[in-house]
Amino acid sequence: MAVSARRGAPLTPEEIYAAAWRLIDAGGVEGLSMRKLAAELDVNPMSVYHHVENKTALIHELCLRTAAQLAMPPDDGSPWQDQMRALGHAYRELAHRQPSLWRYVFNNPEVMSRQQGGLWEVLDRLLRMAGVPEEELSRTAEILSSFVSGFIFSESTGGVRPDAFDDAVTLLIGGLEAYLDR
């Protein structure tokens, strides 16, 4: 390794995550490795491991940071249907903004669990507003999430027209209303 321009400069988590994003943007999540990351940062690979346990932990943190950017609908008293529609659009926009990471999470759901904040908390709040019983929240949220994720995946592969998303969300909301009215 050539003499590093970093010599003496401490490596920061922000540098690590920024470099990881550059590698993901260039080659997808599959193009990210701890060795490539170290080379991108011009450090010894062990230096990265002082900040990040492994690639899985790195991707997990990138997912959390990305999810924190999700434009959550505010609890402003508007109908749950309007807030649900806004949440669906925000989730889709995030998937479009970070397609490589989103596809990776879609194919490896263990990377992000349902218990991890933001999106799930808002979805649970909206489902409560809709009248979903507490014992059905998790199951209902996972089903709705699966349908929206499936649409986004199908959209990304050309299987469904992007302009059908509004109709898909309307059908999901209508289906949830009918399910709750039974």
Side-chain angles (χ1 to χ4, degrees):
M1 181 182 276
V3 175
S4 171
R6 298 192 52 81
R7 196 172 220 66
L11 187 60
T12 67
E14 294 310 315
E15 285 179 288
I16 292 170
Y17 300 125
W21 276 124
R22 287 192 299 274
L23 291 172
I24 289 172
D25 287 344
V29 175
E30 300 75 25
L32 174 65
S33 72
M34 298 304 270
R35 287 197 178 280
K36 287 180 183 177
L37 181 58
E40 176 76 13
L41 292 163
D42 195 22
V43 298
N44 181 300
M46 291 311 296
S47 297
V48 176
Y49 285 106
H50 289 293
H51 298 275
V52 181
E53 184 179 342
N54 53 37
K55 180 179 174 179
T56 301
L58 175 63
I59 292 170
H60 180 78
E61 181 61 28
L62 290 173
C63 288
L64 290 174
R65 288 169 179 250
T66 300
Q69 299 170 12
L70 189 65
M72 300 292 185
D75 188 3
D76 61 2
S78 61
W80 70 265
Q81 296 92 334
D82 294 345
Q83 292 184 52
M84 186 76 74
R85 185 176 308 285
L87 182 61
H89 279 281
Y91 178 67
R92 179 175 176 239
E93 191 276 325
L94 188 66
H96 283 234
R97 195 174 38 199
Q98 294 295 340
S100 294
L101 187 62
W102 185 87
R103 268 193 239 75
Y104 181 84
V105 172
F106 180 81
N107 290 311
N108 301 277
E110 70 280 359
V111 173
M112 291 296 291
S113 73
R114 186 188 180 318
Q115 288 71 37
Q116 292 169 319
L119 169 71
W120 296 106
E121 290 171 8
V122 172
L123 185 52
D124 284 351
R125 175 178 60 79
L126 297 176
L127 292 174
R128 282 185 190 100
M129 286 175 66
V132 174
E134 200 66 32
E135 64 275 6
E136 292 291 318
L137 279 180
S138 182
R139 181 176 155 278
T140 305
E142 289 169 2
I143 290 169
L144 291 176
S145 173
S146 294
F147 275 103
V148 172
S149 293
F151 182 96
I152 294 168
F153 180 78
S154 184
E155 178 185 36
S156 75
T157 61
V160 67
R161 293 186 340 257
D163 63 351
F165 187 73
D166 279 329
D167 293 334
V169 173
T170 297
L171 288 169
L172 281 175
I173 290 170
L176 180 58
E177 289 170 327
Y179 176 75
L180 294 170
D181 286 343
R182 63 182 170 105

